Structures are given as structure tokens and as C-alpha cells.
Amino acid sequence: QVQLVESGGGLVQPGGSLRLSCAADTDDFTIYAMGWYRQGSGQGQERELVVESITGGTTNYAAAVEGRFTLSRGSAKNTIYLQMNDLQPEDTALYYCNGRGPFKSYNYWGQGTQVTVSS
């Protein structure tokens, strides 16, 4: 089982920035797609896609974060970053790193890192 290790969450004021990191504990193979999901703490809130990047292919952002969040790849294999700018209270959530294969032939999750946007 591949482990995804996240870091970089925290508390920030509205309009501020944070950078999340995610690294897989293996470089034996290249993970097909990596990205970030988030889940708010409100009742009934489900885990939703923030951004996903197919290795060597396209990157897709949720409409709510497009233009504010940027996913980038690290120099190490299976490492990604999420630069989050102009954060707003509605961005408050537990952010999960995800790595998957084609058609979710494999599907890995990080432990989650909390992002809180509040004045």
C-alpha cells in the first residue's frame, strides 16, 4: 500500500496564502494521476475535487478555485504541491491528497491536512 504524506495546512486570514505538499513513499512507479480533494465539516458535506493532474497530461480545477489555486509537480517523482492564494472562509476544509490509476485501478489517500481561513 502506497502512503501519501501531506503537509502545509494551517490557519490563515482571508486573502492569505498557503502551500500544501504531498509526497508518495514510493518511486517504483509513476502514479497516473495526483490531486487534491477537500471536505468541509458542515453536516452533509462530501469530499469534493479541488484539482487533479494526470501525469504528462491535463490539469483540471474545480470552478470554485480556478485562478486562485495552482497545482505543480515536484522534481521528485510522485510529489505535488498546491499553492492556494486569496483564501476565503469557504475554503476552510480538511484537504486530502489523492493518487490513482486509470479508472481507479488503484486509489490512495493521504491522512488529510486542515486548512482554516478565519479572521
Side-chain angles (χ1 to χ4, degrees), residues 84-103:
M84 304 184 294
N85 297 329
D86 191 24
L87 283 160
Q88 300 301 318
E90 53 265 33
D91 296 315
T92 295
L94 194 58
Y95 283 69
Y96 295 92
C97 182
N98 174 260
R100 68 170 178 90
F103 307 104

Side-chain angles (χ1 to χ4, degrees), residues 26-117:
T26 182
D27 58 3
D28 291 342
F29 67 102
T30 300
I31 296 175
Y32 171 76
M34 295 188 73
W36 295 91
Y37 286 70
R38 67 186 183 186
Q39 186 170 14
S41 60
Q43 188 172 4
Q45 292 202 16
E46 299 183 350
R47 195 173 296 189
E48 62 180 13
L49 176 69
V50 175
V51 58
E52 184 180 70
S53 169
I54 297 175
T55 302
T58 58
T59 298
N60 297 303
Y61 293 90
V65 306
E66 184 125 36
R68 300 187 297 125
F69 291 11
T70 303
L71 184 148
S72 60
R73 295 270 181 170
S75 57
K77 188 184 289 187
N78 300 328
T79 300
I80 58 171
Y81 303 98
L82 183 65
Q83 179 65 41
M84 304 184 294
N85 297 329
D86 191 24
L87 283 160
Q88 300 301 318
E90 53 265 33
D91 296 315
T92 295
L94 194 58
Y95 283 69
Y96 295 92
C97 182
N98 174 260
R100 68 170 178 90
F103 307 104
K104 295 186 179 180
S105 51
Y106 53 86
N107 198 32
Y108 308 126
W109 292 97
Q111 78 281 3
T113 185
Q114 180 67 38
V115 172
T116 302
V117 185

